[in-house]
Amino acid sequence: MKRVPITAMLMCVLLLSSCGQGQNLQQGESPETQSGSLQPSEQEPSEQARFSFEGTVFHYGEHDYDISSRDQLVNSILSAVPVGQKIVIECHVGPKNGVYCIFDTESESFDEDIIGNHLIWHSDDITTSVYSFWSEVHTYDGSIIKTYDLAEDSHIYGLKFSDDCTKLDVTIVHDDGTDETDTITLLSE
């Protein structure tokens, strides 16, 4: 039996583990990469900008942005996902809520930050997004869709659009391990 040198094995493992790196994440997928390429259909390949993040620093093109200067509670960036001409940068601040920094790739500046959890959207359009904040469900502009009268041991665990995006399923979990789902009919514009 032939022995494979350790360096060859490590190179093979590194190559296999990097397969799929750099793919753009779609809404609802688990973020497993820390970099990506924004590829909107209207941009020429030469105009495409690279982005990545490390710790609390978001890199876009030739510029670095320390997200902790936007919100001092941010202690790490969890993911960066392109959504149309925006990039949603999910940041960790604590166990109850997070911060989503919305970066505009055209102006290369940040829109207002969203404080909450479970930010989701559809149709590659950030303005369709909804998120939870404590016992409330909000739209992208901050309007409240619904408020729940939750017991102290209960919390909103997840949000999910219906297949046609006309309804929103809100999963609520209780400390005793039980859960319930409430379906909200979304208003069409």
Side-chain angles (χ1 to χ4, degrees), residues 35-91:
S35 66
S37 175
L38 183 64
Q39 298 179 351
S41 58
E42 297 94 40
Q43 287 189 341
E44 295 296 319
S46 62
E47 294 177 15
Q48 292 176 356
R50 299 284 304 160
F51 68 89
S52 63
F53 61 88
E54 181 179 7
T56 62
V57 178
F58 173 70
H59 312 282
Y60 184 80
E62 300 296 318
H63 303 285
D64 295 338
Y65 305 89
D66 188 349
I67 302 297
S68 66
S69 67
R70 297 185 59 73
D71 186 320
Q72 293 179 348
L73 296 176
V74 170
N75 55 41
S76 68
I77 296 173
L78 301 174
S79 67
V81 180
V83 182
Q85 295 296 321
K86 310 285 185 179
I87 299 175
V88 176
I89 304 164
E90 181 181 8
C91 304

Side-chain angles (χ1 to χ4, degrees), residues 146-170:
K146 188 164 184 176
T147 301
Y148 293 93
D149 185 20
L150 298 178
E152 188 174 325
D153 66 343
S154 303
H155 63 278
I156 296 174
Y157 182 75
L159 303 174
K160 182 181 178 192
F161 289 110
S162 63
D163 289 341
D164 64 0
C165 300
T166 60
K167 296 182 181 176
L168 180 68
D169 288 337
V170 180

Side-chain angles (χ1 to χ4, degrees), residues 97-117:
N97 286 300
V99 173
Y100 299 92
C101 300
I102 312 301
F103 184 79
D104 186 311
T105 60
E106 290 181 342
S107 66
E108 295 192 21
S109 63
F110 285 91
D111 294 345
E112 289 194 36
D113 300 334
I114 296 172
I115 299 172
N117 279 316

Side-chain angles (χ1 to χ4, degrees), residues 3-63:
R3 298 187 80 174
V4 178
I6 293 262
T7 55
M9 281 183 19
L10 287 174
M11 289 300 293
C12 185
V13 169
L14 283 172
L15 286 172
L16 289 173
S17 69
S18 67
C19 289
Q21 296 294 313
Q23 291 180 315
N24 289 335
L25 295 176
Q26 299 298 316
Q27 176 270 330
E29 291 182 358
S30 298
E32 295 182 12
T33 64
Q34 292 189 355
S35 66
S37 175
L38 183 64
Q39 298 179 351
S41 58
E42 297 94 40
Q43 287 189 341
E44 295 296 319
S46 62
E47 294 177 15
Q48 292 176 356
R50 299 284 304 160
F51 68 89
S52 63
F53 61 88
E54 181 179 7
T56 62
V57 178
F58 173 70
H59 312 282
Y60 184 80
E62 300 296 318
H63 303 285

Side-chain angles (χ1 to χ4, degrees), residues 162-187:
S162 63
D163 289 341
D164 64 0
C165 300
T166 60
K167 296 182 181 176
L168 180 68
D169 288 337
V170 180
T171 303
I172 298 169
V173 173
H174 307 282
D175 266 356
D176 65 5
T178 61
D179 64 76
E180 60 184 284
T181 300
D182 179 45
T183 301
I184 302 169
T185 299
L186 300 170
L187 300 174

